[in-house]
Every structure is written in C-alpha cells, then in structure tokens.
Amino acid sequence: MNTLPQELRYTTTHEWVRIENDTATIGITEHAQSLLGDLVFVDLPTLKKGLAVGDDAAVVESVKAAADVYSPVDGEVIAVNTDLNDKPELINQEPYGAGWLFKVKLVGELPLSLLSAADYEAMLDEE
Amino acid sequence: MPFIPHTEDDVKTMLKTIGVKSTDDLFDEIPSNLRINDLNALDVGLNEMAMGRDMKDRAARDGGLACFLGAGAYEHHIPAAVWQITGRGEFLTAYTPYQAEASQGTLQLLYEYQTMMAHLMGLEVSNASLYDGASALAEAVLMAVRTNTAAKESRILIAGNLHPHYRQTIEALVRPQGILLETLPYNDKTGCLETQLPKIENGDIVAVVIAQPNFFGGIEEVDAITDWAHQHQALVIAVVNPIAMALLKEPGAWGQRGADIVCGEGQPLGIPLASGGPYFGFLCTKMDYVRQMPGRLIGRTVDQDGKPGFSLTLQAREQHIRRAKATSNICTNQGLAVTAATIYMSLLGASGLSDVAKASHANSKTLCAALTAIPGIRLRFNSPYFHEFVIECPCTADVLIQALLKKNILAGLDLSVLSPELDHCLLICVTETKTADDINAYVNAFLHALQNITSISTTVED
Amino acid sequence: MLIFEISAKGRRNHLQAPRLAPAATDIPAHLLRHKAPLFPEVSELQVVRHYTQLSRKNFSIDTQFYPLGSCTMKYNPRGVHQLASLEGFLQHHPLTPASHSQGYLQSAYELQQILSHITGLSAVSLTPMAGAQGEFAGVAMIRAYHLSRGDTARTEFLVPDAAHGTNPATAVMCGFRIKEIPTDKHGDVDLDALRAAVGPHTAGIMLTNPSTLGVFERRISEIAKIIHAAGGLLYYDGANLNAILGKCRPGDMGFDVMHINLHKTFATPHGGGGPGSGPVAANDRLKPFLPTPIVGYDGKQYRWLTTKDCPQSIGRLSAFMGNAGIILRANIYARLLGREGLCRVSEYATLNANYLMARLQQAGFTLAFPDRRASHEFIITFKKEAKTLGVSAKDIAKRLLDYGVHAPTTYFPLLVPECFLIEPTETESKEELDNFINILITILKEAKDSPDLVKQAPHNLPVRRLDDLKAAKELDLTWRE
C-alpha cells in the first residue's frame, strides 16, 4: 500500500477526502475500487444537495456489486465529476485523481472520525 | 415411494456414511418440543390414475362455456406449437439463468422477447417480465416515483376508467410507501377521460396513468392526454392491451414525446385463461430510465472468444445485490409465460397479430350491432372501442348472465363490480375466436332471456 | 442466430391468423398504428426448429442434476403438469361466476387446508404470485396489524445478515427501515445482538428456518419470545420448507405469518425463472389482514371471499387470483403424495444433503459449519483453494457445467466467502450424488494439476465465459435492424 496518498483523510467505509480551504473533494479508495471490480455506472449527487456525515451521497456500480458512497463531511455539493458518466472506469484507473466523485463546500468542523493515511492503512492490514 | 429413488440398501449405506442410525436422527437439532411425527390429518396419497379421474371431473365442471367475457383476460386462439415447444423440459424445468453458459436458450429467447415487446410498444427497452398486468402497473408507479425526482410530492393521477382490480392492486402495493393516488375522472357519456383536463401546477404530479383501451373497451384520445401530462412535467404511464397495439397507435408514438413507461397484461399473447394465471406482466420504457426499471434484463454481449452470447445485465438494480436499496423485491418472474408469448408473436408475425386485432374488433362490432338493434338495449358509451363494449339493459346484468349461463354462454361482466349504479350494464368482449354462428347463438339466447325476464314483446330485426 | 435474422419479408403463417380481418374504419386515423412492429417473418417450421434448438442450450431438471441451493430443484412430475393442463381448466375465465368454477375453487380451497395443516397456521391466502410477493403480503399484514392498534411507532424490521436479498427489499417496499442482525460462528442468530436491537420501534423480524446457512436455528423459541415481548411479530420465509415438512411447523415455532414457495416445496416447474407462487399463511392474530381473494366454503358451495368479507385485508395483489395454474399443480402434487409421501420429502431431502456433506468432507472439501447437521442443504467454501490455487468458487462452478452438472448456488449467502450452497433434493438417486462427488473430486485435482483448465471453464458449452462488463457498459437490450 505504498501508493496511499499521505495528504488525504480516509473513512472506515473506504472514502477519501482532500481538504483545500473550505472545499472537500471526495472519492473512493484504491482498496474499494479493487474490491468492486470494473465499474460500469456512477450515480452522483445533485448539485446544491446538503449532506451530513454518513448520508448516502453517491452509488458506484460494477457488474456484480453496487456500493453506497457515504459523505465523510457536512456540507453542500458544489461540483460533481461529470466525466464519470461516460467513463466510470476512471475510478478504477485513477481513484485518487481523475476518478474523484464530488466536491462539498464544508460547513462546521471536520468530523473526528476521519482517519489519517497511517490509520487507514492499519485498518486495511487488519482486514 | 412416489418420486423417491432410494432402495433400502441405499438408505442403509447412506446412513452409515453419515454415522447415524435412522433418518429420524437427522432431525436431532430440532428441539424435541417442536417436533411433530406425522401429517395424519391429511388424506393418504392417490395414484396418478385415481387423480386423473378426480381432476377430469373437476375440469369438466369448469369448462365448456362459450366465452364472451374479457375484463382483463382474453380468449384468443393459441397455435398448437406454442405450448408444445414451451412445454419442453428444457424450458419448463430450468430456473433463472444465473449460470449464463448453461442457460443460453432461455437467455436468447428473453432477448428476442424484449426486442419484440419493445417494438410492439414503440419504446426502446423491455424487461424480461413481471408477475401480471396489475402488479406491473404498481411497479411502473414506483418506478415513476424514482424517476421523476423533480416532482414536489409523490402524487399519481390515475384514470377513473382503469380496471378496478388494477386500481385495488396498486393501492395495496404502493400505499405503504406513502404515495398518493388520485383519480382522473371519465366522461359519463363517452366512458373516456374528460377532454377538458384538470388544472394542475407544474411539478405537482409524478405521473399520469392512462389505460388504452380503457376498462369499458373504449379508445382514449391518448395524444392530447400525453402532451398535457408532459407540459406539466408529469410522466405518462400507459396500461395497454398488447393485441390492441397491433391496431392502435403504439405508446411510443403518443403525443409529441411518447409515453414514458408502458405496462400491461401479457396474457392475450398465447397464454390460456386458466382461472387467472400464470400470466405475465410486461414493462417497457425509454433508455434514459432503464436503471430505474424493476425486474430482470437480458443483454447481448460476447464470450471470451468473441462469440455472441446473452447474460443477465444491470443486476446491481436487483434485490440479490442491492438488497434494501433494490428497485423492487421481485426475484422469480413469469419466464415460462414469456416463452409462450415469444413463440406466439413469432408464429403470428406483425401482420398476423394485426389480423387478430382487426378480426376481434370486427366481431365485437357485429355482436354490438345485433344487440343494440333490440328495443330497450343501448350502447352505454358512445366512443370508438376495440373489442369490448358496454350495453345497458332493461334488467340487471346479473339476471342476463345467469340466463345465458344456462345456455353455456359466458355473457360478459356485470358492471356493478365497478359501481352499484352500473348494475344494468354488461361489459361484453368478442375476439377472433368467435364465428358468425357463435354470435348468432349469443343474440338468440339473449333475446330469449330478455323475453322471459321482461315479458316485453320484441320483434327480431334482421 | 436470432429469430430476426432468419426472417424474410412477406413470409407468414396464414394458418395462425383469422381469415377475415376487415379494416377498422370506425376508429379515427390518428388513434391507429401506422408503422408495423418489427416482428420476425418466419414459417411455422422455422419457429419450431429455432426454439427447439434454443431449448437444447439450457440445463434443466429434466436433463441434468441441478443442486441449486435454496431453490429446491426437485423432479416436477409430468402427471401433475398434464392434469393441471386439462382443457376445462385452461379455458376457464377467472371472472366466471362461482357456480361454474367449483372445480377450481374446490382445488384451491383444499390447498388452503393442506398448507394450513403443514404450517401450523390457521388461515391461508393463495394469491401472492411468487415468494417475494408472499413476503410483501406477510410484512404488509404485520404493518396493518400494528396500525390497526394505533401503534404507529413500529418503523423497523429486523433481518439477519444471512437473509435472502428479497427480505430487506420487501421490508423497504412496505415502508420499513432495516436493522441487520449478525450471525454467530455456529450459524445461529446472535441473540445478544438481537436483544440489543429490539425495542418499541420493532415491527417484526424476517427469518428463514432452517436458515440460508443450511442449519436449523435451534433457539427459535427464544427468538420468538424476545420479539413478542418487544411487541413485534415474526415472519417466516418459507424458502426452506422442504427441509421440515411433517417434522416441525413454523406455527409451533412462534411465527405469526409466513409464505410458502409452491415452486420449491410443491414441485411446480420453475419455467426458466417463473412462474412461482407464494401463498401466505397466518395465525389467528394476523388472519383478518390476509390478502384477497381467498376461497371460502359454506358446506355446499365454494366461493371467493373479497374485501367485503375481509374488511381488514391488505387488499388485492394481482388482477385476478395469483398464479392459479401453479396452485392447481401444488394441489395435485400434495394429494398424490398424501400424508406419508409429504413426510418422506423432508426425510430424503435431508438424507441426501447429509450424505453429500459427509462424503465431501471425507474427500477433503471444507464445510462452512462442520459441527452442524445439514438441513436439506449445506455450504462448502473454497476460500482455501482460492488462496492456495487461485481457483475460485466461480471457476469450479463453471467447470461443473463442463461435466454436465448444473452449478450449486454460488456466493450466497454473502457471509461465507467463495461458497457453494448445495441442495440435492429428495428426488435424486444415490448414484447421481456419487457421480457429483466424483466430479467435484476430479475438478479439485484439475485445479491442482492444471488450474487453467478450471479457470478458463467452461469449454464444452454453447458459449464460453461471457463479457459481463461489455454487457453492462454497452447495453444491447433489443435487436435493431
């Protein structure tokens, strides 16, 4: 797992968050995409939708599985990665880059439950 | 032992391998206070011969009527080949095609079914079937709610001249999800929906449900209603008779944009009346809405050598993957009935199906003309109809039905089932199966019954 | 080749359409169809040959051993099928007055009585058209019961994590939130977790017993006590009723309502994915809420009971009376077997399952629950083989097809990795079971000696492994010219 970007925060449900000022970019981890396999469809949230920590935010679907993506933060959806509509495989190819899912304008404090890269890696090792 | 192949030696060997003394020991994890030892309240078994006698007696009691009753289930000629092929063990005794490589027969057939059904309805996609027409409509309503997320409330407008059993079924199936069902009234003279459509606000309604033909057999002005619904951001759900669609405008061509979801009862396509089932429900839609569709879908793809093949696709919508978030809880559907329908549609072809529709229409016109020529009998609704019509009689419909039953004629449906004030109204269906002699026999029996009942002297007109 | 690809313009079957079909001149032109649908134009022989050839690409009970777990793929007796297809039954319109429906109504009424006795529940409605609709009926009845008492707080349904996917999907359709209950390492419901989960919001629980793990839930009476004490009710998923026929009854276990899969336990054909039939049975408490129509009998005549007779009913679930033809078949099957034959069903189904399980364990296969008795089905897991040989349960399933055996249920229940759920049913002979064992042993050897043979399977079928990714991404759901 030497590819795990150190600057990101993680969740126990395999989302990652990149915090830049008051904006959070959210995606699913390399580990999550490898469990799901080739993705065929992504259902993204609608713009301006308000999200609380743990809300269903998006759905990623492979041939044989579908997984909910839960919002790791509180805030409002300000952008979604529309490239994924035609190319869901971007998530498989670049989960931490071109495969991002949506951006949220943060409200309030970051939740304490977010994991550091080291904690997330430790959690994966336990599985 | 019926259907059990084990010899005594087999049982001994098997018990020894398992390491128990008797088959009873195999149930030792069931707490003893829950065990029962027999089913002795039931009868002893019959052999096939005795059962044959018994069932033939029962079948004889139910059969032998000339059927002029429709109301959602229609008698059509079924070519011999349909059920001879459908009844082959390889179709009859397979299950859901989970192992695609060992189910290419069923899978390809379902792909062909999806194709024919989508083309018949003038839409892009058909699923592989639902249970029946009424439950398919309930699924269509739920699908519309998932699809039309712009609507402010989950309100559905339902044609008041929809089959009452369909209305009752959707009430039962969608009510727990808090969906509001409201009625779009029909005109008392035409039996069709009012041409003056109600005022609604944009986004107030999720979908409008239209039946074509309606429960009275009447043909609706579908273009105007479809456009009106779309102007108000409501989806259009069409409930149609598939045979009628060989003659009437296909839902995909209704109005400017076409109906959004089309569903209905597939039974007329080669499925016998059989006391009400198994039939099958069909559901078609536009490609944009495919991910909100309930039920199984078959896709064409290739195998690892590039050879064409078929498999279940978009399974992530379904309960076995999506569990609590599935589009529906449906699992088993009506595969065998769809097998019959596919063979039926292949044998008839488009022109054959159109002929069935036209002949049914012509026969119903013939009977209607003869009946309404009788003084005191009038056509209840003055709209064009497909193969069912309503007459109003001087006596209650039930009296006539009972009288014609004595002549082995199933005269039609007493419309008091719909509302008590329609108790003098009889809904009659004539399909292509009826000959001129059958129709004459109906008219004569009807006249005879009327004379007995009303003592009104009537003169028979040629 | 598709039927559309053997079509030729202008070819048609004149024998199969009416001879006189005058144009419908009275219908306004704007309501008529102007473009014929794209149907094939083929001869009768072409149709017969095409679909006969397609049928030969299917595995089926009539042609292959089909140990698909939780599906009860037993022999579908031919006599039953023939007698349910008698002309008088086939031509019978569902809305025919009861006076001319006594043959069917009697058969349906008898089946209600038989099912009531077998399940230990007091009343039955036959109308649900498949297991999932039976589940809907049962859970909707529980909802209606709570609401009838003004108890509106019960918004949660409990579902074990081993449950079939229809269970949570159904509870959601009925407007409930789901709480998943974990399973302990012996395959039983985790009682501590259950006690922690119940409360004033609990509407009920959905359980299968024997469970989908192929074992009997031994503490069922205690579970019933916990749920009832919390004010909830118990729903029994009848998918595995074949295992306990005449041995114990869901009503005695404390269940309030259940469905029965006639296409499993009562040997009606599965038809390539249906029709099924899922009658629902209830105790006195839930009886008033059963879906309509139900068949009643006054000692002389059978008749339909409707919402007029049953004002608290959850209502109607189909246009007519559910899958009537399947109900007829189940009646005939049950009366052919009779009281002794029905008891033998569970005995021999359990004997076959335990024999297979014992022999496979001896042959080195890993059982998911080695210390448990199998019900009518059991689970083996290929977790070890997947790790050491790189051969998955899916690979082995596909290789089984090469040997002319349908694969067991794979990857279900979700709790057991790389699993097979194997249900041989009572109608398979010892020879067939021995053959299956030998094939599995052979495949395991192949997996060690030449793993690619297994990983690339099947080799002998009409197609090889299909590209599911292409199927999902480049959706091709209808043929176009």
Side-chain angles (χ1 to χ4, degrees), chain B residues 220-422:
Chain B
E220 298 284 350
E221 287 289 344
V222 286
D223 294 333
I225 306 166
T226 301
D227 287 340
W228 166 78
H230 283 155
Q231 276 155 20
H232 295 87
Q233 277 100 53
L235 296 175
V236 172
I237 300 174
V239 185
V240 302
N241 177 327
I243 300 256
M245 292 305 109
L247 177 64
L248 304 180
K249 186 185 274 184
E250 66 277 24
W254 292 2
Q256 300 289 316
R257 281 163 45 198
D260 302 285
I261 305 173
V262 183
C263 62
E265 177 54 69
Q267 175 275 333
L269 300 170
I271 319 299
L273 291 169
S275 303
Y279 299 167
F280 73 93
F282 60 85
L283 192 136
C284 300
T285 192
K286 298 172 176 174
M287 201 60 181
D288 284 349
Y289 306 144
V290 68
R291 281 176 187 277
Q292 296 304 339
M293 236 188 173
R296 304 223 142 106
L297 276 170
I298 312 312
R300 184 160 66 154
T301 181
V302 293
D303 73 0
Q304 62 194 79
D305 297 338
K307 189 174 168 187
F310 303 87
S311 68
L312 290 169
T313 194
L314 296 188
Q315 292 190 74
R317 298 166 298 116
E318 294 190 68
Q319 47 74 28
H320 60 284
I321 290 178
R322 209 68 179 106
R323 298 177 74 85
K325 289 182 177 163
T327 51
S328 165
N329 71 341
I330 192 166
C331 178
T332 292
N333 56 28
Q334 306 282 118
L336 196 70
V338 168
T339 306
T342 308
I343 298 173
Y344 177 85
M345 288 189 279
S346 301
L347 280 170
L348 271 287
S351 56
L353 201 67
S354 163
D355 285 348
V356 169
K358 283 188 250 172
S360 300
H361 177 67
N363 282 347
S364 64
K365 299 293 288 186
T366 306
L367 179 58
C368 182
L371 292 176
T372 51
I374 301 169
I377 305 293
R378 69 180 193 100
L379 189 63
R380 178 65 178 74
F381 300 116
N382 62 0
S383 61
Y385 57 84
F386 172 50
H387 68 355
E388 277 182 286
F389 56 92
V390 178
I391 55 166
E392 193 166 35
C393 315
C395 55
T396 62
D398 185 57
V399 172
L400 284 166
I401 290 170
Q402 296 305 329
L404 266 69
L405 269 179
K406 295 203 174 77
K407 309 265 183 187
N408 290 328
I409 294 170
L410 195 46
L413 188 74
D414 171 1
L415 281 188
S416 66
V417 295
L418 189 64
S419 105
E421 60 265 29
L422 292 174

Side-chain angles (χ1 to χ4, degrees), chain B residues 1-3 6 14 26-29 31 34-36 39-43 45-46 51 54-55 58-59 61-62 64 69-70 73 77 79 88-96 99-106 108 111-112 114-116 119-120 124-125 131-132 165 168-169 172-173 177 220-221 245 247-250 273-278 298-305 307 310-311 313 319 323-324 329 333-336 342 346-348 351-352 355 358 361 365, chain C residues 1-4 12-13 16 22 24 26 30-33 37-39 50-52 54-55 58-62 66 71 73 76-77 88-93 101-104 106-107 110 117 129-130 132 136 163 165-166 169-170 172-174 218 243 246-248 252 269-275 314 316-320 322-325 335-336 338-339 344 350 352 355 372-373 398 427-429 456 461-462 464-468 471-472 476-480:
Chain B
M1 293 183 287
F3 316 125
H6 301 61
M14 293 167 81
L26 298 172
F27 298 93
D28 56 5
E29 287 196 1
L34 294 179
R35 278 294 309 273
I36 58 168
L39 292 172
N40 282 351
L42 302 180
D43 290 336
L46 297 177
M51 183 64 75
D54 189 37
M55 294 316 286
R58 293 184 192 192
R61 274 189 273 159
D62 290 2
L69 173 53
H77 170 67
R88 283 179 64 89
E90 298 93 329
F91 284 133
L92 189 69
T93 71
Y95 203 13
T96 304
Q99 296 291 340
E101 301 85 349
S103 316
Q104 285 297 301
T106 289
Q108 180 176 333
Y111 176 84
E112 293 178 356
Q114 288 175 184
T115 300
M116 291 183 215
H119 285 302
L120 183 59
E124 293 163 292
V125 206
Y131 304 131
D132 79 340
H165 289 181
Q168 291 159 19
T169 304
L173 290 173
Q177 298 190 39
E220 298 284 350
E221 287 289 344
M245 292 305 109
L247 177 64
L248 304 180
K249 186 185 274 184
E250 66 277 24
L273 291 169
S275 303
I298 312 312
R300 184 160 66 154
T301 181
V302 293
D303 73 0
Q304 62 194 79
D305 297 338
K307 189 174 168 187
F310 303 87
S311 68
T313 194
Q319 47 74 28
R323 298 177 74 85
N329 71 341
N333 56 28
Q334 306 282 118
L336 196 70
T342 308
S346 301
L347 280 170
L348 271 287
S351 56
D355 285 348
K358 283 188 250 172
H361 177 67
K365 299 293 288 186
Chain C
M1 191 178 275
L2 291 167
I3 187 103
F4 307 101
R12 61 173 299 193
N13 290 306
Q16 301 302 356
D26 56 317
H30 71 281
L31 297 173
L32 291 173
R33 183 168 194 135
L38 183 70
F39 278 18
H50 177 75
Y51 289 108
T52 302
L54 280 190
S55 78
N58 273 1
F59 278 33
S60 67
I61 301 171
D62 279 5
Y66 210 125
C71 296
M73 301 296 283
N76 307 146
F89 292 132
L90 293 186
Q91 62 179 222
H92 182 251
H93 192 287
S101 309
Q102 291 294 301
Y104 175 74
Q106 181 187 348
S107 306
E110 280 170 0
H117 185 65
M129 290 176 285
F136 177 90
T166 50
T170 298
V172 167
M173 269 185 99
C174 290
R218 292 167 287 194
K247 301 298 162 194
C248 59
D252 301 335
H270 287 74
I314 59 160
R316 177 182 276 286
L317 303 178
S318 65
F320 300 108
N323 283 334
R335 292 194 303 128
L336 279 175
R339 57 196 188 197
R344 277 197 293 261
T350 306
N352 275 356
Y355 172 72
R372 297 296 303 267
R373 191 74 75 202
K398 298 299 183 197
T427 58
E428 296 296 338
S429 65
Q456 297 295 318
L461 280 115
R464 299 187 62 202
R465 282 194 209 185
L466 292 157
D467 187 344
D468 288 331
D476 174 359
L477 306 173
T478 51
W479 184 80
R480 307 263 154 194

Side-chain angles (χ1 to χ4, degrees), chain B residues 2-218:
Chain B
F3 316 125
I4 291 177
H6 301 61
T7 65
E8 271 181 46
D9 281 350
D10 289 341
V11 175
K12 270 187 210 153
T13 315
M14 293 167 81
L15 289 173
K16 203 175 156 203
T17 305
I18 300 166
V20 294
K21 288 199 181 65
S22 69
T23 52
D24 210 49
D25 292 346
L26 298 172
F27 298 93
D28 56 5
E29 287 196 1
I30 301 178
S32 56
N33 64 323
L34 294 179
R35 278 294 309 273
I36 58 168
N37 296 312
D38 59 63
L39 292 172
N40 282 351
L42 302 180
D43 290 336
V44 293
L46 297 177
N47 64 16
E48 194 176 290
M49 180 171 70
M51 183 64 75
R53 286 290 286 268
D54 189 37
M55 294 316 286
K56 278 173 197 157
D57 284 348
R58 293 184 192 192
R61 274 189 273 159
D62 290 2
L65 298 178
C67 184
F68 289 84
L69 173 53
Y74 301 98
E75 182 189 74
H76 288 285
H77 170 67
I78 303 173
V82 171
W83 284 90
Q84 294 232 341
I85 305 302
T86 304
R88 283 179 64 89
E90 298 93 329
F91 284 133
L92 189 69
T93 71
Y95 203 13
T96 304
Y98 294 119
Q99 296 291 340
E101 301 85 349
S103 316
Q104 285 297 301
T106 289
L107 285 165
Q108 180 176 333
L109 180 140
L110 290 175
Y111 176 84
E112 293 178 356
Y113 162 79
Q114 288 175 184
T115 300
M116 291 183 215
M117 202 45 109
H119 285 302
L120 183 59
M121 298 303 152
L123 279 148
E124 293 163 292
V125 206
S126 162
N127 75 1
S129 81
L130 298 165
Y131 304 131
D132 79 340
S135 62
L137 176 57
E139 290 281 10
V141 165
L142 294 174
M143 178 181 162
V145 171
R146 290 191 299 271
T147 304
N148 191 354
T149 47
K152 289 173 218 149
E153 270 187 304
S154 297
R155 281 174 72 202
I156 308 280
L157 267 185
I158 298 172
N161 54 17
L162 175 72
H163 196 305
H165 289 181
Y166 280 47
R167 176 69 188 247
Q168 291 159 19
T169 304
I170 42 179
E171 298 262 356
L173 290 173
V174 314
R175 196 194 290 134
Q177 298 190 39
I179 294 165
L180 304 171
L181 304 176
E182 293 170 15
T183 304
L184 196 56
Y186 67 86
N187 182 290
D188 187 57
K189 291 210 167 55
T190 63
C192 289
L193 294 174
E194 295 282 7
T195 44
Q196 191 66 43
L197 291 156
K199 275 207 158 45
I200 51 171
E201 294 292 318
N202 286 356
D204 258 8
I205 301 289
V206 164
V208 178
V209 175
I210 313 169
Q212 180 78 322
N214 61 43
F215 181 58
F216 307 122

Side-chain angles (χ1 to χ4, degrees), chain C residues 12-344:
Chain C
R12 61 173 299 193
N13 290 306
H14 291 278
L15 209 56
Q16 301 302 356
R19 290 173 65 185
L20 290 172
T25 48
D26 56 317
I27 301 173
H30 71 281
L31 297 173
L32 291 173
R33 183 168 194 135
H34 297 295
K35 186 172 165 249
L38 183 70
F39 278 18
E41 298 177 81
V42 279
S43 75
E44 185 159 329
L45 172 59
Q46 285 176 313
V47 172
V48 168
R49 190 173 286 161
H50 177 75
Y51 289 108
T52 302
Q53 281 176 352
L54 280 190
S55 78
R56 294 167 68 186
K57 295 183 179 181
N58 273 1
F59 278 33
S60 67
I61 301 171
D62 279 5
T63 49
Q64 274 97 359
F65 181 45
Y66 210 125
L68 197 64
S70 240
C71 296
T72 312
M73 301 296 283
K74 62 167 95 174
Y75 172 58
N76 307 146
R78 286 286 152 156
V80 173
H81 183 58
Q82 187 180 52
L83 293 177
S85 309
L86 290 169
E87 194 57 31
F89 292 132
L90 293 186
Q91 62 179 222
H92 182 251
H93 192 287
L95 299 175
T96 307
S99 59
H100 289 66
S101 309
Q102 291 294 301
Y104 175 74
L105 289 172
Q106 181 187 348
S107 306
Y109 183 81
E110 280 170 0
L111 185 64
Q112 289 174 189
Q113 302 295 102
I114 292 168
L115 296 178
S116 167
H117 185 65
I118 286 172
T119 58
L121 293 163
S122 59
V124 173
S125 166
L126 301 172
T127 170
M129 290 176 285
Q133 216 192 27
E135 288 178 29
F136 177 90
V139 176
M141 286 163 68
I142 291 177
R143 180 178 179 272
Y145 167 81
H146 290 311
L147 291 180
S148 76
R149 293 154 43 96
D151 191 349
T152 52
R154 299 194 178 273
T155 52
E156 286 175 0
F157 237 86
L158 310 179
V159 179
D161 54 3
H164 193 265
T166 50
N167 289 178
T170 298
V172 167
M173 269 185 99
C174 290
F176 289 105
R177 280 200 308 277
I178 306 299
K179 255 192 182 174
E180 262 199 4
I181 306 297
T183 305
D184 71 17
K185 64 176 189 295
H186 305 291
D188 292 321
V189 168
D190 182 335
L191 286 193
D192 290 337
L194 182 69
R195 284 195 196 91
V198 298
H201 297 304
T202 305
I205 188 168
M206 299 181 86
L207 280 178
T208 314
N209 195 18
S211 72
T212 55
L213 301 170
V215 296
F216 192 87
E217 177 58 64
R218 292 167 287 194
R219 295 172 301 183
I220 183 61
S221 300
E222 200 173 339
I223 294 173
K225 221 179 272 169
I226 295 169
I227 299 290
H228 282 147
L233 298 182
L234 283 88
Y235 181 84
Y236 180 93
D237 179 328
N240 295 339
L241 190 67
N242 212 53
I244 58 164
L245 221 48
K247 301 298 162 194
C248 59
R249 313 193 299 175
D252 301 335
M253 295 179 208
F255 286 95
D256 300 283
V257 58
M258 68 174 289
H259 83 266
I260 300 118
N261 296 95
L262 297 183
H263 52 294
K264 297 179 183 176
T265 314
F266 289 84
T268 70
H270 287 74
S277 179
V280 58
N283 60 11
D284 287 337
R285 176 151 50 176
L286 289 181
K287 179 181 171 179
F289 305 98
L290 281 167
T292 55
I294 300 168
V295 182
Y297 182 54
D298 62 7
K300 285 188 205 133
Q301 289 269 309
Y302 300 91
R303 71 175 182 95
W304 293 116
L305 304 179
T306 64
T307 37
K308 281 191 194 114
D309 307 281
C310 320
Q312 287 187 290
S313 165
I314 59 160
R316 177 182 276 286
L317 303 178
S318 65
F320 300 108
M321 166 54 214
N323 283 334
I326 305 304
I327 288 158
L328 265 184
R329 282 170 178 76
N331 168 297
I332 300 168
Y333 175 77
R335 292 194 303 128
L336 279 175
L337 261 58
R339 57 196 188 197
E340 280 125 8
L342 287 170
C343 290
R344 277 197 293 261

